[in-house]
Amino acid sequence: MTVSTLRVLAGATAFEHLQQHGLRQQDINLVLGASGGPKWFCLFGLDQYLFGEFFKDRSTPLSLVGSSAGAWRFACVTQQNPAAASERFAKAYSSLCFPPKASIDQITSTSAAVLDQVFPTDDCILQVLNNPVLQLNFIAAREVKVRTSERKAAQLRRLLLAAGANLLKPALLQRFYQRVVMQNHSDTRLLQQVPHEAYPLTPDNFKASLLASGSIPMVMHPVKDPAGLPAGLYMDGGLLDYHLSLPYQQDGLILYPHFYPYLIPGWFDKSLPWRRAKAAQMDKMILLCPSESWVKSLPYGKIPDRKDFDKLTDAQRLDYWATVLERSKELADDLRSGHYKVEQLI
């Protein structure tokens, strides 16, 4: 028997359930999508399978929570043809090229153009807003204090202050950023245990809100005053919820296609190895991630990341990313066929 490309890790309750019943779509009430830029390319095949086949005939509500790239992925799969929309996103994102030392203006406008390719008509947006089953929630962060300067040095100082506050106590980040959740539904129960503001997605604020959720500080401009939201500057939701390790209020299991076998709570925690979600926080979670051997078999022995823009030529990067997108289907094949072993998160 060949080694599986896919790891399936489950919290205690989820592990016991899988041992008794296996993986069934009707037992899943929530799907998560993390921040992480092009890391999501290794999950492309799983997105295609899960929303094109596994959940295809779903009739009961299914909550989706995403930040940054995860929000963009879920905005694709809530369209009527999720596989085609996800394909458009993968093609547009994996073809990105920037001139050397691209400006923030250039990166922001190019990213906005990707959204236009993923949502080529107003009807595509309406499909998301009117989806009767998939309840979309994507997270952005709004700056609490009004900026007095847009200069990079001033932005860097604010980020360093926020990082220092987070190092002392993660809850102190709320003095810098407010969690904003954009929704195509009105269920308030899911995130009631965490501080947040919730607002409805509309045709007027959809693209702006989605762009805000992925607007990386110092790389892209924040989105200013999206329609129907409080005035302010909105940016990457991963600042607060990088891997979405939140206390969700829901009854079923959580399915999490993820690029790592662990969760990093916030963007400022990336360099803090002791900041990882505990097994108890993932009690009902089923984590789907690529195996270490599969990752090592990829070009350069790793999954894609934003550093590829600087370390590789455009030709190298485009070929590499295309390879990962194609090979990501191997993970979906293993999930579809049941070719995996369930491990318990400890």
Side-chain angles (χ1 to χ4, degrees):
M1 183 179 181
T2 57
V3 176
S4 174
T5 64
L6 179 70
R7 293 187 70 186
V8 179
L9 301 98
T13 295
F15 181 82
E16 182 178 351
H17 184 95
L18 290 178
Q19 296 290 53
Q20 294 180 14
H21 306 289
L23 181 62
R24 306 183 303 189
Q25 69 85 14
Q26 64 266 34
D27 300 325
I28 307 298
N29 281 7
L30 171 62
V31 185
L32 301 180
S35 302
K39 294 182 180 75
W40 83 274
F41 292 158
C42 70
L43 306 175
F44 170 68
L46 287 173
D47 284 354
Q48 294 272 297
Y49 166 66
L50 289 172
F51 294 97
E53 298 180 39
F54 188 71
F55 291 119
K56 182 179 180 181
D57 298 322
R58 179 89 176 200
S59 59
T60 55
L62 177 66
S63 295
L64 311 179
V65 178
S67 62
S68 197
W72 289 46
R73 288 164 54 206
F74 288 166
C76 292
V77 301
T78 43
Q79 296 181 50
Q80 287 179 2
N81 189 335
S86 182
E87 184 87 40
R88 290 197 300 272
F89 180 35
K91 182 177 180 180
Y93 194 161
S94 65
S95 301
L96 283 175
C97 289
F98 299 104
K101 298 182 179 179
S103 68
I104 291 179
D105 288 342
Q106 290 171 310
I107 295 173
T108 302
S109 62
T110 301
S111 300
V114 169
L115 277 183
D116 292 334
Q117 295 177 62
V118 178
F119 298 91
T121 67
D122 291 341
D123 184 61
C124 292
I125 295 174
L126 292 176
Q127 290 171 21
V128 177
L129 302 186
N130 298 323
N131 194 303
V133 173
L134 301 182
Q135 298 189 338
L136 177 62
N137 306 265
F138 59 78
I139 298 173
R142 185 180 70 238
E143 284 196 343
V144 171
K145 294 184 179 180
V146 178
R147 291 188 183 186
T148 57
S149 173
E150 292 295 323
R151 297 180 64 179
K152 276 195 171 184
Q155 293 182 53
L156 181 59
R157 282 197 298 271
R158 284 193 293 271
L159 287 172
L160 290 174
L161 285 172
N166 177 74
L167 182 62
L168 292 174
K169 188 178 181 180
L172 292 175
L173 276 181
Q174 295 176 38
R175 298 186 180 183
F176 295 85
Y177 306 104
Q178 170 67 49
R179 180 184 292 107
V180 177
V181 183
M182 304 300 298
Q183 302 173 318
N184 68 346
H185 64 98
S186 58
D187 182 5
T188 59
R189 178 171 175 257
L190 183 66
L191 293 167
Q192 67 182 14
Q193 295 186 47
V194 295
H196 74 285
E197 298 174 0
Y199 299 98
L201 286 165
T202 69
D204 292 331
N205 67 28
F206 182 86
K207 284 187 178 179
S209 300
L210 194 52
L211 185 65
S213 182
S215 293
I216 306 166
M218 304 288 292
V219 176
M220 296 170 60
H221 289 302
V223 174
K224 185 177 181 180
D225 304 341
L229 276 71
L233 298 176
Y234 293 74
M235 62 198 67
D236 200 305
L239 286 171
L240 295 171
D241 301 304
Y242 193 54
H243 290 170
L244 303 163
S245 55
L246 296 170
Y248 301 98
Q249 187 69 30
Q250 53 89 43
D251 300 321
L253 300 179
I254 302 171
L255 188 64
Y256 199 166
H258 192 37
F259 20 84
Y260 297 144
Y262 54 84
L263 307 186
I264 302 172
W267 191 67
F268 294 107
D269 298 320
K270 290 191 294 182
S271 60
L272 308 176
W274 62 90
R275 291 271 176 87
R276 298 290 186 268
K278 308 301 182 184
Q281 297 175 268
M282 300 183 280
D283 180 59
K284 295 182 177 181
M285 187 176 292
I286 303 168
L287 196 66
L288 309 177
C289 63
S291 68
E292 184 178 358
S293 60
W294 185 83
V295 172
K296 288 182 178 179
S297 74
L298 297 175
Y300 310 104
K302 68 176 191 67
I303 61 174
D305 57 59
R306 287 196 301 112
K307 294 178 182 178
D308 296 336
F309 283 109
D310 298 321
K311 293 185 176 182
L312 302 175
T313 66
D314 283 344
Q316 290 172 328
R317 180 175 51 80
L318 295 177
D319 183 64
Y320 164 38
W321 285 5
T323 298
V324 175
L325 284 169
E326 182 61 30
R327 289 202 53 198
S328 72
K329 298 172 184 177
E330 297 168 10
L331 279 67
D333 289 341
D334 277 352
L335 184 62
R336 182 189 292 108
S337 66
H339 182 210
Y340 56 83
K341 179 181 178 182
V342 181
E343 309 168 56
Q344 184 169 355
L345 285 163
I346 55 175

